[in-house]
Amino acid sequence: MSEATTGRGAKVERPLSPHLQIYTPLVNMVMSILHRITGAALYLGTIILAAWLVAAASGPQAFATVSGLLDTWPGRLVLLGYTWALIHHALGGIRHFIWDFGVGYDLDTVDKLSWGTIAGSIILTALVWYLALFGLGGA
């Protein structure tokens, strides 16, 4: 690579570009990255959901095959991840919706909303899976 010079051959001292090693990951930075990752992961999960719906429309044998794959421990792990990604992405969207009104930009509120998104996505995912596995206790 060529080096920067003044035009007369003298080397110019320039500061190095900041790198990730310099920055301390802040919760709102991590949430921004996770929001993008979960958004991308939802594409894969939606393809799985579409395959399950197509199998249901195709007949009992196709539905049993796809349901059988999803009922294995790797299948359930993928479904758990999809559930968390969906809820986490939705809560992140609500956080951005709040910001669209021009409120919550002070750092304390940004941090609280970010931590609330993490806690809420974990708690709501656990609740959804508890209800899916054990039901409401009635029927």
Side-chain angles (χ1 to χ4, degrees), residues 8-22:
R8 295 188 177 161
K11 190 175 178 182
V12 177
E13 292 296 323
R14 293 187 177 173
L16 296 175
S17 296
H19 192 267
L20 289 176
Q21 295 171 344
I22 295 171

Side-chain angles (χ1 to χ4, degrees), residues 71-91:
D71 201 24
T72 62
W73 73 264
R76 285 192 177 199
L77 187 62
V78 167
L79 291 175
L80 176 68
Y82 180 67
T83 307
W84 176 79
L86 183 63
I87 292 171
H88 184 81
H89 197 77
L91 291 178

Side-chain angles (χ1 to χ4, degrees), residues 15-41:
L16 296 175
S17 296
H19 192 267
L20 289 176
Q21 295 171 344
I22 295 171
Y23 294 113
T24 303
L26 302 173
V27 68
N28 60 329
M29 181 176 104
V30 173
M31 296 307 297
S32 176
I33 294 167
L34 275 177
H35 190 75
R36 287 170 174 80
I37 291 170
T38 56

